[in-house]
Amino acid sequence: MNQDYIKPDNWSLIEEGFDANRVKSSESLFSIGNGAMGQRANFEEHYSGPTFQGSYIAGVYYPDKTRVGWWKNGYPEYFAKVLNAPNWIGINVSINDEQLDLFSCKKVENFKRELNMQEGWLSRCFIATLNNNIQVEVETKRFLSLDIEELGAIEYSIKPLNGNAKVQFQPYLDASITNEDTNWDDKFWDTLKVNHKNHQAFIEAKTMKTDFYTCTFMESKIFINNKETSIESTIKTDSNQISFNYNFEVDKGETYSIQKFGGYVADRNYDKSELASVSKQILEKAKKIGFEGLLLKQKEAWANIWESADINITGDVKAQQGIRFNIFQLNQTYLGKDSRLNIGPKGFTGEKYGGSTYWDTEAYCIPFYMATKDQQVARSLLEYRYNHLEKAIENAKNIGLNNGAALYPMVTMNGEECHNEWEITFEEIHRNGAIAFAIFNYYRYTGDYSYIPEKGLEVLIGIARFWQQRANFSKEKNKYVILGVTGPNEYENNVNNNWYTNYLAQWCINYTIETIEKVDADYHSDFLRIAKKVKLSKTEMALWKAVADNMYFPYSEKHQVFLQQDGFLDKELIPVSKLDKSQRPINQKWSWDKILRSPYIKQADVLQGLYFFEDEFTKDELEKHFDFYEPFTVHESSLSPCVHSIQAAKLGRMEQAYEFYLRTSRLDLDDYNHEVHEGLHITSMAGTWMSIVEGFGGMRVKDNILSFTPKIPEQWDAYSFKVNFRGAIIKVNVCQNETNFELENETALQILVNNELVTIEPNNLVTV
Amino acid sequence: MNQDYIKPDNWSLIEEGFDANRVKSSESLFSIGNGAMGQRANFEEHYSGPTFQGSYIAGVYYPDKTRVGWWKNGYPEYFAKVLNAPNWIGINVSINDEQLDLFSCKKVENFKRELNMQEGWLSRCFIATLNNNIQVEVETKRFLSLDIEELGAIEYSIKPLNGNAKVQFQPYLDASITNEDTNWDDKFWDTLKVNHKNHQAFIEAKTMKTDFYTCTFMESKIFINNKETSIESTIKTDSNQISFNYNFEVDKGETYSIQKFGGYVADRNYDKSELASVSKQILEKAKKIGFEGLLLKQKEAWANIWESADINITGDVKAQQGIRFNIFQLNQTYLGKDSRLNIGPKGFTGEKYGGSTYWDTEAYCIPFYMATKDQQVARSLLEYRYNHLEKAIENAKNIGLNNGAALYPMVTMNGEECHNEWEITFEEIHRNGAIAFAIFNYYRYTGDYSYIPEKGLEVLIGIARFWQQRANFSKEKNKYVILGVTGPNEYENNVNNNWYTNYLAQWCINYTIETIEKVDADYHSDFLRIAKKVKLSKTEMALWKAVADNMYFPYSEKHQVFLQQDGFLDKELIPVSKLDKSQRPINQKWSWDKILRSPYIKQADVLQGLYFFEDEFTKDELEKHFDFYEPFTVHESSLSPCVHSIQAAKLGRMEQAYEFYLRTSRLDLDDYNHEVHEGLHITSMAGTWMSIVEGFGGMRVKDNILSFTPKIPEQWDAYSFKVNFRGAIIKVNVCQNETNFELENETALQILVNNELVTIEPNNLVTV
């Protein structure tokens, strides 16, 4: 934790006072997005200090040639880079010919930045004294429209405070941008056309290699004292840039403002011949609605999102701010409108990790989207994998498997693997299990079985085939083993019989066989179609079954726990609490081999399995595993504390659960891992939501019945959330001594509360 | 194996006929070197076809910034690159204004290339028909002087065959060279000065980052029909090049020749202010001795080397050519004259692998140099490591060890680690064991104990400390274990309890304790000095002893073999012989994870340990291990077949031993691994020598007595070799039905032959 400059507030992130050392961190934290595009909170005006400039268009990426030390056979050819897109937010400002630059000016006072999460906008105000001694007050507001997803809008105002001043606004578009994250300093964009017409400017550019065509556009309006004014502009263009210059002699105390509309149109959604004309139409529409009108729509759209997704916590502002920040960022990243998209681990807030899709989606994000959106959104996320099945089959061929075995990529943009470390790409195969689990989980939660005969079963068969072929029979153990894997705990590489992986493999095969039998019985024509398509036979299924029935699981009689992997007990089992603080985080202090041979767990591994499959274990077993593994867990992955929080809550250890909750919900706000300047941890934010709803609220689905076992941290007065369960909206309000349930539905619903059936009638508060 | 174009010959490599597809392979095979510099067999004249240009100066390297996928804490900052040095061999030739270029000319006939290993020179002759229809006969000869180690000499002759022709020789120096192997396309050389005086040319250049200053120089003489002639030349210089142009109207049938002297002087050996003047002196000396005089000295110098190092095989030309090629290349690479140098895995024949020093030196090369050179050479190689002890201690700190624990680097130029794969750099720690073993082996063979109290003991203590700290106690096993290593078999990564590593660790500690006790008793003042310097205590030694005495060794009761590592028997144990040929070599066909989880062994691992410590095992044990591991060994490392050959010979399996011998001795000549174009496998060539002397000849040292158990492959009539044992030269001649021993010494020597004592008198043939 290295910062506490974000003021506690129920609905906003607020930063007060300007500190150049915080700029990159704030650029991450104050990021804005609308699911179709997003950007870091870079300043509109020129800034000469350390900054990480980033504006991203969903689905537009670059296949950066893989960089490794020594090439190994089967490495993916490229690592898909999240691609910094042309800058449309830029407004250079000069005052009496001196460029406004917060890094180099004489003084910055009253600096305040706010990210209003309730309404979905970012604002900034400050008083700057320039080196020419002119003092100006600046106010800005910016948002990316949820309503028109190609569009963003900025209002930028200047008021000279200590004299008249010649002020120049220079709104511009700039396609000469680079990526922070590049392997070979390649050029990623090729600018095709820079032009303008009637105060509108357009830069058409395409990405190298992937050939995504885009048009970046802008148009501005000028205001004096909030009254629109027509000012002649001069225009400057070069091969990658275009700018308009609006000069005005502003009197002391007068307000000179610019409203800038801009954004991107891409050929992912429009024909590439019409990008400029669509851009023009969007600008016309934006002008017609106007900045205030767009802002009003923005507030309404966010109100809609919050209506179903908000979690309200009373009595703990930091906890409240944390969960809203997580829910806000998830919705800024992915709204479920475009089935080709997915949830990148850094969303639109940074470039690290690349790619857009990890197992995070299935293991962490789907539960959040299932409960807070229409079930079609979760189904879209499942279909995304179905659409990549052929590529997953290709990917499994790369590691020597065949007959339709499917290995989904660890990281992907289009179904192709694009990660480049063998320990992860080739060996972190448990991802395949999470993808199967999500199919099960989707049906369990939504009750919508139709996805399985239509599409899901083919995915399950590919995955079952993978596990059967990837396991091998050990004569020594007289069991099937899975050798050479990396589990969720990436502080182990190339281990044998990772319990989580083996357990998932067994589960996947059993679930696939059970599903095949059900589809055969209840959706026979689908069964016939699929069986023919994938050439399924009883003989093959018997092979799968043999593997599942004879899977090996490392176990310690002494500790009565499953072992994370073979040989785990040979380690020096010193708990994390005994480590000197100077050694933490170990991934920044220790060489990789030292980490690997240590017992320290980066993120829930065995416990991840117990989280997925808790019904298959007794409470005593859950407790023994938690007590064994928690002391070795360093939580150096963002995906770790949420699972531990849920488990701790399940076991009634509310102090621990609360501590993990704070850690997951304020991971970025409080910068636990000293890396928020690189961007936010988007996917783990869904884990934060789970910590409350599944952890404290104890939400589960048991035999088609929604179930709660509500608990509450003693630090809180109350908390409430809503879930969408099979079309019914259930609002749950947990206080220290009671829990209230409300139903937004037309018919009554039976739920389980603390394992007892409770009926809730529409619009009738039930208190337990 | 993809080539058999090298003609079998007892003393030469001969290639007949020109094939552009073979040029890069031949450039490797016909490489020349003199220990101080070396070069690939590039053509002197311009060649526009595929070529790999390389000329290298011993000890002159470049620290290329490490390239990895994801940076891990503790990675070395750089990977030391073997550095292509300015070209001094170049002689552009034009005939009637057409450039002579074997790739683009009309016809090449009677092409013959010869590497004469007996005399140490490279020659080439051919008849070329140019596109202008002029036909010329060309003869060249080149060598790098053993006598003046900065100097090389070339004779290049042209005879027009079908008419008079205007011939131009353009000898040049060129510093605008690049490396084949570079991570970031950095510029490696900075040219400082290009100048000339009195027909001599000099380019002074320094390496970037490492600041090695060098002067590349040349001077030429011109001959008509072998008579020196004075021809005026024109001179051309630019910022990186200088050339002299010698034009002459040559009559049909006349021979026009140039003798070019050139080479390098570096500030490793001379003050950097005098590089040009030293170069001038060398040129003066070369001119005085003359080409023929230098060649005569070259023959004498090589005769001297062969006198002690030759192995003569009768009845099997391919086997003969193989071993001489190996001995020749080893001597071209390292002669033991400069204690700062070592034996790079590709010598002066290519750039792959970088660095100069691997564990190959201790495990493979030292025995060869001990037996074929003065013992000072082996001692120099030991001292090289002593000189790097401080850096090895630093290196161990990088992985969290302390108190003087030393981890020698996997790859180095100056004692610093410069390899960049964690699986190797951090985990292939067995190298430390080979370095300790070499100290033991040096004393065992030479009887020179003085090195140990002077220097060796400090190295041993650093290594013992390393093993004690690197092992950890497993409560589960109630033994010390060594987790997370890579053994010699690099087709396993991050395994636990690699038997070879654990055994070496135990041996190192025991040997160090034994040595400390002996030094304490016999060299007490050295003991006191060292104990004080390294702060040695009985308490600490007790800790070492506890580790050695309680080391864990994975063992299979069923198979009665030590296991390569924990879990080895869980693999699918299908022998290599059952693999489809299309799957080989597996490192070119399989993804890395598939290789890792397979049982296939890249190079001797358990068997490497049994080779080092065969006296500690019964013949039955050796046999069981050979029979268990050989079937899984793919020999995809050059270091593998020699160890298997020695073991097979030891077990009396002569057919197998012979097959492995051919594979090791002709690895490059027959290009078993399809990579000879990248350079030769120099260090494994010492293994080839061991295959004969230790394998077939059965040479060992037992309690200070030299011992032989001679065997001979049925394909051979006889073979003979010499060894230098403690000042006595013993010549061994093994025939099918007897073995003769001869002694070049003043006093008689007792040796063991087939475990029976035999006394050999000076100059008196003993037949057994």
Side-chain angles (χ1 to χ4, degrees), chain A residues 67-75 79 183-184 352-353 358 398-401 419-424 426-427 470-477 481 483-484 492-497 552 556 558-559 563 566-567 569-572 586-597, chain B residues 67-75 79 183-184 352-353 358 398-401 419-424 426-427 470-477 481 483-484 492-497 552 556 558-559 563 566-567 569-572 586-597:
Chain A
R67 186 181 72 197
V68 293
W70 281 16
W71 187 263
K72 281 165 181 139
N73 210 33
Y75 270 154
F79 187 83
N183 285 343
W184 309 96
K352 205 180 162 188
Y353 302 131
Y358 289 60
N398 280 341
I399 65 161
L401 310 187
H419 196 284
N420 60 351
E421 300 285 276
W422 66 263
E423 313 89 302
I424 294 176
F426 294 147
E427 296 209 337
R470 183 60 174 73
N472 71 275
F473 188 73
S474 162
K475 279 194 189 167
E476 179 78 359
K477 292 196 161 69
V481 293
L483 306 181
E492 302 282 352
N493 285 160
N494 196 40
V495 300
N496 295 335
N497 296 308
Y552 166 75
S556 164
K558 181 178 165 197
H559 299 281
L563 293 175
D566 281 351
L569 291 180
D570 282 339
K571 292 169 179 279
E572 239 175 352
I586 61 172
N587 72 7
Q588 288 172 25
K589 306 288 181 172
W590 288 2
S591 64
W592 189 240
D593 62 314
K594 185 169 179 180
I595 290 174
L596 289 177
R597 63 182 182 271
Chain B
R67 187 181 71 198
V68 293
W70 282 16
W71 188 263
K72 281 166 182 139
N73 209 35
Y75 271 154
F79 187 83
N183 285 342
W184 309 95
K352 205 181 162 188
Y353 302 130
Y358 290 60
N398 281 340
I399 65 161
L401 310 187
H419 196 283
N420 61 352
E421 300 285 275
W422 66 263
E423 312 89 302
I424 294 176
F426 294 148
E427 295 210 336
R470 183 61 173 73
N472 72 274
F473 188 72
S474 162
K475 279 194 189 165
E476 179 79 0
K477 293 196 161 68
V481 293
L483 305 181
E492 301 282 351
N493 285 161
N494 195 42
V495 300
N496 295 335
N497 296 309
Y552 166 76
S556 165
K558 182 179 164 197
H559 299 281
L563 293 175
D566 281 352
L569 291 180
D570 282 340
K571 292 169 179 280
E572 238 173 352
I586 61 172
N587 71 9
Q588 288 173 25
K589 306 288 181 171
W590 288 1
S591 64
W592 189 240
D593 61 313
K594 186 169 179 180
I595 291 174
L596 289 176
R597 62 182 182 271

Side-chain angles (χ1 to χ4, degrees), chain B residues 489-505:
Chain B
N489 170 16
E490 290 173 326
Y491 288 174
E492 301 282 351
N493 285 161
N494 195 42
V495 300
N496 295 335
N497 296 309
N498 169 261
W499 177 81
Y500 173 77
T501 305
N502 287 22
Y503 196 86
L504 263 183

